[in-house]
Amino acid sequence: MRHEWLLQLFLRVMGTTMLFALVFVFAPQSWMRTLHTLADLGDMPATPVVWYLARSASALYAMTGGLFWIVSADIGRHRLVLWYLAWSIAVLGTVLCVIDIWAAMPFPWTVTEGPSVLLMAAVMIYLLSRIGHERAKNQTETYAREP
């Protein structure tokens, strides 16, 4: 069950990383403006919809991080949810790649955001498939030993 342990660790590391987004649900606008400028995105528009989107996206990231922690507690029980998350994240990564190019995001952003999300999905899909193989092998060995 080495792959199950690796998936659990991966989910917890990713979940913890996503939970850090909770800071930006409540962060002062000055922090967000500074980070926006440091990311080479220019001046952050001071319109209500921009603040709403930034904070609600942060809340969704944090919520997803919490979900990663919950499903990591029992990989076997939450296997269907994990497959859904893995493939949804793969679709999200693809969509982010397209959006980043279409929106003419800065090059460092474009080559890191979507591809890193795709990598996360690939790791999850790989580990989930290995867990499936391990379980099938264990079941076969169990049946082979029975008289």
Side-chain angles (χ1 to χ4, degrees):
M1 291 296 170
R2 179 175 158 248
H3 291 99
E4 190 166 326
W5 178 85
L6 286 172
L7 179 58
Q8 183 180 53
L9 178 64
F10 181 76
L11 290 168
R12 289 180 178 180
V13 169
M14 292 293 97
T16 300
T17 302
M18 287 186 257
L19 281 167
F20 285 124
L22 193 58
V23 170
F24 293 98
V25 173
F26 306 103
Q29 290 181 1
S30 61
W31 293 11
M32 296 168 88
R33 280 192 204 99
T34 299
L35 290 172
H36 194 270
T37 303
L38 290 173
D40 197 25
L41 297 172
D43 292 331
M44 188 168 191
T47 60
V49 71
V50 169
W51 299 113
Y52 163 78
L53 289 171
R55 294 181 191 284
S56 61
S58 296
L60 284 169
Y61 270 103
M63 185 179 75
T64 304
L67 178 61
F68 272 37
W69 265 92
I70 290 168
V71 296
S72 76
D74 191 342
I75 302 291
R77 181 176 180 197
H78 300 295
R79 195 171 149 92
L80 181 61
V81 174
L82 286 163
W83 276 109
Y84 170 79
L85 284 170
W87 285 107
S88 296
I89 291 167
V91 170
L92 174 64
T94 304
V95 168
L96 289 174
C97 287
V98 171
I99 290 172
D100 289 349
I101 292 167
W102 177 69
M105 294 300 286
F107 182 75
W109 184 294
T110 302
V111 298
T112 55
E113 182 190 34
S116 65
V117 172
L118 284 168
L119 179 60
M120 180 169 64
V123 169
M124 288 178 69
I125 291 166
Y126 171 76
L127 291 172
L128 283 165
S129 67
R130 297 309 309 156
I131 291 166
H133 285 48
E134 286 174 353
R135 288 180 184 214
K137 182 181 173 186
N138 289 341
Q139 285 179 344
T140 303
E141 289 172 0
T142 301
Y143 291 132
R145 281 187 239 142
E146 291 180 2

